[in-house]
Amino acid sequence: MLFFNRHKDKIIFHIIFRATMPIPRKNVAIDRRMTFICYFCEKLQFIIAMKIIKPLIITITSLTTLLIIITLITPPIAKNYIKKHSKELIGRQINLQGLYLNIFTGYAWLSGFELLEQNDKDKFITFDTLAVDVSLFRLLANEVKINQIHLVNPDISLLQNGSSFNFDDLLTSSPIDSATTTSQTMAPASVATPPAATIPKDTATTEGMAIALYNIQITGGHIQYKDLLRNSLWDMENFGLQIPGVYFNGKNTDVGIALNFNDGGHLQTAIQYNMEAGNYLLDIDLSNFSIAPIRPYLVDFLNINTLNGILNTHLNIEGNANHITELSVRGEISLHQLSLTDLQNKPVLSTDSIRIEMENINPEKSIYHFNTVIIDGIKSGFKLEQNGNTFSQLLKPTGNATTQADIPESAPETSAPEISPDFKVNVFRINNSLFTFQDHT
């Protein structure tokens, strides 16, 4: 029993001794070599990684810096180029106060835009700001997507003189195109231009490109139209346009327009248009519109001095753009305080109010259905004299009369049978009116 315990103590001592003995020197050397090899491999991997990553980082940093520099210097260069060479490009002077372009996001911004008249003095079109936001990454999917077009405070001056307008020169070919056309015309016969049929067209790209327009908005607009020949002026302020989206794939496009007339009146329209089918629905609200500016257009065939009245309309027009006469008109028209005088400033016609409620007007089917026609307070007269009457004196002569012999004979034309008009008025009423007849023959 004692020996066993001693032997056990030896065993225990031996185990403790082996556990506390230092590691032989041979194992220490091996561990040191292994540690060095691991450290060397780590360093080698780091060096190799840096040789690959460092040029990549330098390249990306250089390209990013280059793009930022291009973004910063391109707008000033473009602005100065437009101002200096606009006359060469479109034949008009363009002035810009600010131009911003972000090639990373596709956002462009213009400020202080001026397009002058041909005299380089008067302003044709001006606006405060124009912002356009384009999704550049959608171009990779063969799609042009414009997220926003916002025009603030545009001012447009339209002038008409007979059949010419102050923008006719912009619709013609530009000076560069004219010069190119002239040079091609004066070129020798040996240098021939290839026929148009041999020029390849990238029709696949054009037909495959999808276009999406969203959030088109115009605020604070001012439009002035002046007919120099008739001395007529139309001044429209607070012009606004709102289009949530323009769709080409069968979905209806909604358009809202609102403006005020300086002579009195407010116009507000709402349009739904389907570009694929051509169907449209137009809602027109015109309130307190003064008809006085219409007078210059009536004096061409009427001998009148003054024309006054207040017009209100609410119309719903439904039709198809491909068939102009195929439309249906419903709504109401009212005219208040109408007054018309002749050249001697004598009253020819006056009314307190005229109210017409249309049930359905369809020119294509010759349908003219009215719910009510009510005239209140009409005052007019008819005077018969030796040399004419009231209406003949009111109407201007149309020129030399054309006799039947002057009309050339033409081959008979075959046409569709005419549809007899479908005319109906449910309620027709004249209240508190006065009509006089005088015979001075």
Side-chain angles (χ1 to χ4, degrees):
M1 191 72 180
L2 180 62
F3 176 78
F4 177 79
N5 290 338
R6 289 181 178 178
H7 182 69
K8 184 178 180 181
D9 293 338
K10 290 182 180 179
I11 295 174
I12 294 173
F13 176 77
H14 178 73
I15 294 173
I16 295 174
F17 176 78
R18 294 292 299 175
T20 57
M21 282 183 63
I23 300 175
R25 299 183 61 86
K26 181 177 179 181
N27 295 338
V28 173
I30 293 174
D31 290 343
R32 287 178 179 176
R33 286 196 295 270
M34 291 299 297
T35 303
F36 175 76
I37 292 173
C38 293
Y39 176 77
F40 177 77
C41 291
E42 291 178 358
K43 285 292 185 181
L44 183 62
Q45 290 178 357
F46 177 76
I47 293 172
I48 295 174
M50 289 302 297
K51 285 184 176 293
I52 298 176
I53 296 175
K54 186 176 181 180
L56 184 61
I57 294 175
I58 294 174
T59 303
I60 295 175
T61 304
S62 301
L63 290 176
T64 304
T65 305
L66 180 61
L67 290 175
I68 293 174
I69 294 174
I70 292 175
T71 303
L72 294 176
I73 66 174
T74 298
I77 295 176
K79 183 181 73 172
N80 294 329
Y81 181 83
I82 292 173
K83 292 176 66 175
K84 291 181 180 180
H85 299 279
S86 59
K87 293 277 289 185
E88 302 174 8
L89 297 174
I90 63 173
R92 296 279 190 99
Q93 179 61 40
I94 295 179
N95 297 323
L96 278 176
Q97 290 184 0
L99 175 61
Y100 172 78
L101 177 64
N102 191 324
I103 61 176
F104 299 102
T105 62
Y107 181 81
W109 178 79
L110 296 175
S111 66
F113 177 87
E114 292 182 352
L115 176 60
L116 303 182
E117 295 281 2
Q118 288 181 302
N119 58 10
D120 294 338
K121 295 181 181 179
D122 300 328
K123 297 177 182 179
F124 173 48
I125 297 177
T126 65
F127 57 79
D128 290 350
T129 58
L130 172 63
V132 180
D133 184 14
V134 182
S135 296
L136 297 180
F137 293 104
R138 296 303 302 172
L139 295 175
L140 302 177
N142 205 23
E143 178 185 1
V144 178
K145 183 181 180 182
I146 300 179
N147 300 315
Q148 179 189 21
I149 300 176
H150 190 189
L151 183 62
V152 179
N153 295 333
D155 195 328
I156 304 175
S157 178
L158 300 176
L159 301 177
Q160 180 182 3
N161 190 358
S163 60
S164 61
F165 292 85
N166 61 334
F167 53 82
D168 288 341
D169 60 298
L170 298 175
L171 302 179
T172 58
S173 58
S174 64
I176 296 178
D177 296 336
S178 301
T180 305
T181 305
T182 305
S183 62
Q184 291 178 354
T185 306
M186 298 178 63
S190 58
V191 183
T193 304
T198 62
I199 300 176
K201 294 183 179 180
D202 192 6
T203 55
T205 303
T206 304
E207 294 177 357
M209 180 69 72
I211 300 175
L213 306 176
Y214 300 100
N215 194 17
I216 302 174
Q217 187 177 4
I218 299 177
T219 57
H222 174 243
I223 302 175
Q224 186 181 73
Y225 166 73
K226 188 173 184 179
D227 192 330
L228 301 177
L229 193 62
R230 293 184 172 88
N231 195 23
S232 173
L233 178 64
W234 294 77
D235 210 351
M236 293 159 279
E237 293 184 344
N238 297 325
F239 175 79
L241 175 68
Q242 183 71 38
I243 305 177
V246 178
Y247 305 99
F248 303 90
N249 57 355
K251 190 176 179 180
N252 289 337
T253 298
D254 296 329
V255 180
I257 300 175
L259 57 88
N260 295 327
F261 296 94
N262 265 4
D263 292 330
H266 175 75
L267 174 65
Q268 186 166 353
T269 65
I271 307 171
Q272 291 184 358
Y273 180 59
N274 190 304
M275 294 189 179
E276 187 175 7
N279 298 326
Y280 65 86
L281 179 61
L282 174 61
D283 186 79
I284 302 176
D285 277 313
L286 180 63
S287 59
N288 298 324
F289 174 72
S290 174
I291 65 172
I294 302 177
R295 177 194 167 276
Y297 301 93
L298 299 179
V299 297
D300 289 344
F301 51 90
L302 291 178
N303 293 313
I304 59 175
N305 185 30
T306 61
L307 175 66
N308 294 293
I310 302 298
L311 179 66
N312 294 278
T313 64
H314 178 74
L315 299 177
N316 294 310
I317 304 174
E318 185 176 0
N320 189 285
N322 300 322
H323 307 280
I324 299 176
T325 59
E326 187 178 336
L327 55 88
S328 178
V329 182
R330 298 177 178 86
E332 182 179 331
I333 299 176
S334 62
L335 183 61
H336 301 274
Q337 305 301 324
L338 172 65
S339 64
L340 179 68
T341 61
D342 59 14
L343 296 179
Q344 287 75 32
N345 206 25
K346 295 180 180 180
V348 176
L349 176 66
S350 65
T351 61
D352 293 338
S353 66
I354 301 175
R355 180 172 171 266
I356 302 173
E357 184 179 349
M358 294 171 286
E359 179 182 344
N360 185 18
I361 305 295
N362 192 324
E364 179 74 15
K365 300 179 181 179
S366 296
I367 297 176
Y368 306 94
H369 291 178
F370 299 88
N371 283 334
T372 57
V373 176
I374 301 175
I375 303 174
D376 285 329
I378 183 172
K379 296 180 178 63
S380 184
F382 183 81
K383 185 185 295 184
L384 186 62
E385 298 179 350
Q386 294 287 346
N387 55 353
N389 54 55
T390 302
F391 293 135
S392 63
Q393 293 175 359
L394 188 65
L395 297 174
K396 284 187 175 181
T398 58
N400 296 329
T402 303
T403 61
Q404 187 68 25
D406 297 331
I407 301 176
E409 295 183 359
S410 58
E413 297 181 357
T414 58
S415 59
E418 294 184 0
I419 303 175
S420 58
D422 184 3
F423 186 84
K424 183 182 69 172
V425 178
N426 293 332
V427 177
F428 182 81
R429 187 184 305 155
I430 299 178
N431 301 323
N432 303 321
S433 299
L434 176 64
F435 185 84
T436 60
F437 174 80
Q438 300 179 20
D439 187 354
H440 297 283
T441 59

